[in-house]
Amino acid sequence: MNPLSRRTMLKGLAATPAAGMVAGLAAGAGTATLIGAPRIARAAEFDFKYGNNLPLTHPLNVRSHEAAERIRRETNGRVDIQIFPNNQLGGDTDMLSQVRSGGITFFTPSALVIATLVPVAAINAVGFAFADYGQVWSAMDGKLGEHVRGAISKVGLHAFEKMWDNGFRQMTSGAKPIQTAADMDGLKIRVPVSPLSIAMFKSLSAAPASLQFSEVYSSLQTRIVDAQENPLPIIQVAKLYEVQKYCALSNHIWDGFWFIANGRAWRGLPPDLQKIVSTAINDAGVQQREDIKALNQSVQADLQSKGLTFNQPSPDSFRAKLRDSGFYGEWKGRFGDEAWALLEGAVGKLA
């Protein structure tokens, strides 16, 4: 594939933080052909719209469709949720505005998207905070998640208790494997346009470059940059294994989706229906987490078969570097002492 056609194929993959899992998942999950399709008119007492930016075959949409069917069944048709996937209702900014105004009832922004409205929501993306999924779910299903949900409620939105998974980001490189923070010194690495990401890599003494995702392959091929970071499915679908030799399972940033609802619409549901909807959505979120975990395992095996060499660096040297550079201290101040204490309660001392 020539660089132009590659750029055409990949254009827009990094347009939103949520796009990190999209393309690689499209081929790996089941189908949900009814999602977003016109329905026969029915007399639902509560007729809701749910918008998201992911393809039909993404596990988020597969599980959301199952949840909607369960809700329709268990409420005897009183609650009907129609799903509009793949940015049918607009981009992330548009849908965030619509769910606040009541134009749509449900939306699943990534934490980094909703952080534009609720800054503390980005706390899960602090560099090298989470070593593994055990720590992620301990924090986000626990007191830290409760704290963020409280902040979300203050802007007129209701966030369900279980976050959905958008995956860990991993680092690939061409010249040598990344094993400790010392390997980041002077490393030219492509990063998305995210203040938190850029600040983290600068604090690690790397040389981050914010490039459009469509330019990543050619930039690695021509050595404009030496490394990049993305979830494994994106590394797979973009064929970055052709221009990179090593992959460090660094888990340096984790991002997830908050399943949110318009606050007025949510409060308008009777308590018995709220319980049914919450249970179905939360159960589906837990199942989606397992889908993503299984997918990542299969993608890693495929990438290894294509010649990418994996290693799993300890987060200790990276955390020490970020601590010494003042990164953690700065972002502790931005997120606030309370939120930071809850994060450290799940992952250990950072700042």
Side-chain angles (χ1 to χ4, degrees):
M1 182 181 294
N2 63 53
L4 179 59
S5 59
R6 179 180 301 280
R7 286 195 295 271
T8 302
M9 179 185 73
L10 297 175
K11 183 179 180 181
L13 276 178
T16 70
M21 295 297 292
V22 173
L25 294 171
T31 59
T33 55
L34 296 179
I35 296 175
R39 300 175 187 269
I40 298 173
R42 63 187 69 192
E45 186 177 348
F46 300 95
D47 200 357
F48 296 143
K49 293 180 180 180
Y50 160 45
N52 66 69
N53 65 359
L54 300 177
L56 291 174
T57 50
H58 190 288
L60 180 143
N61 271 319
V62 174
R63 296 300 184 180
S64 294
H65 178 66
E66 293 174 356
E69 292 297 324
R70 176 180 172 182
I71 290 165
R72 190 176 303 112
R73 183 176 64 252
E74 293 186 3
T75 63
N76 296 315
R78 293 177 68 193
V79 178
D80 186 80
I81 300 173
Q82 187 171 1
I83 303 173
F84 295 84
N86 212 28
N87 292 117
Q88 288 182 13
L89 301 180
D92 284 332
T93 302
D94 295 329
M95 286 188 283
L96 187 58
S97 176
Q98 289 177 62
V99 77
R100 293 190 74 197
S101 68
I104 60 177
T105 308
F106 300 106
F107 177 40
T108 39
S110 83
L112 291 177
V113 169
I114 199 168
T116 61
L117 182 65
V118 184
V120 75
I123 195 167
N124 61 256
V126 168
F128 292 92
F130 300 111
D132 52 40
Y133 273 119
Q135 290 186 346
V136 168
W137 303 132
S138 174
M140 305 318 297
D141 289 345
K143 293 181 179 180
L144 180 61
E146 183 180 359
H147 179 81
V148 175
R149 291 197 307 275
I152 292 172
S153 71
K154 293 177 181 177
V155 296
L157 298 169
H158 172 79
F160 291 92
E161 290 78 8
K162 301 295 184 181
M163 283 192 81
W164 297 44
D165 194 13
N166 195 23
F168 277 105
R169 300 179 78 89
Q170 318 295 357
M171 291 187 281
T172 67
S173 54
K176 64 178 183 178
I178 297 170
Q179 297 176 327
T180 69
D183 296 314
M184 303 299 296
D185 192 22
L187 183 69
K188 294 183 292 184
I189 183 169
R190 181 268 174 182
V191 300
V193 183
S194 162
L196 193 55
S197 295
I198 294 170
M200 181 191 76
F201 283 104
K202 284 184 175 179
S203 296
L204 290 170
S205 298
S210 294
L211 302 172
Q212 292 300 315
F213 188 77
S214 58
E215 304 298 325
V216 171
Y217 185 97
S218 60
S219 296
L220 291 167
Q221 189 176 42
T222 57
R223 295 299 183 92
I224 292 174
V225 292
D226 302 317
Q228 67 85 48
E229 51 85 54
N230 262 297
L232 293 182
I234 285 295
I235 295 169
Q236 180 193 49
V237 74
K239 297 186 177 182
L240 299 184
Y241 52 82
E242 294 179 349
V243 288
Q244 298 277 266
K245 295 180 180 179
Y246 307 101
C247 180
L249 294 174
S250 51
N251 289 350
H252 56 276
I253 287 176
W254 177 81
D255 193 19
F257 302 104
W258 282 107
F259 208 115
I260 61 173
N262 173 272
R264 292 185 301 277
W266 180 250
R267 291 189 297 272
L269 273 180
D272 60 324
L273 297 186
Q274 285 185 352
K275 182 176 180 181
I276 291 171
V277 173
S278 285
T279 300
I281 287 176
N282 287 328
D283 287 352
V286 172
Q287 292 173 316
Q288 186 262 0
R289 296 174 183 181
E290 292 301 314
D291 295 338
I292 298 297
K293 180 179 178 180
L295 180 70
N296 279 329
Q297 290 171 346
S298 67
V299 168
Q300 181 177 342
D302 178 67
L303 291 171
Q304 285 176 316
S305 72
K306 289 178 166 60
L308 201 61
T309 300
F310 284 80
N311 68 292
Q312 191 160 7
S314 167
D316 293 346
S317 68
F318 297 92
R319 284 184 171 185
K321 178 74 171 179
L322 292 175
R323 187 179 303 116
D324 293 344
S325 68
F327 171 82
Y328 288 136
E330 176 188 351
W331 288 90
K332 176 182 178 179
R334 293 195 185 194
F335 289 126
D337 290 343
E338 182 180 359
W340 197 264
L342 294 173
L343 174 63
E344 290 188 329
V347 305
K349 188 70 172 175
L350 294 172

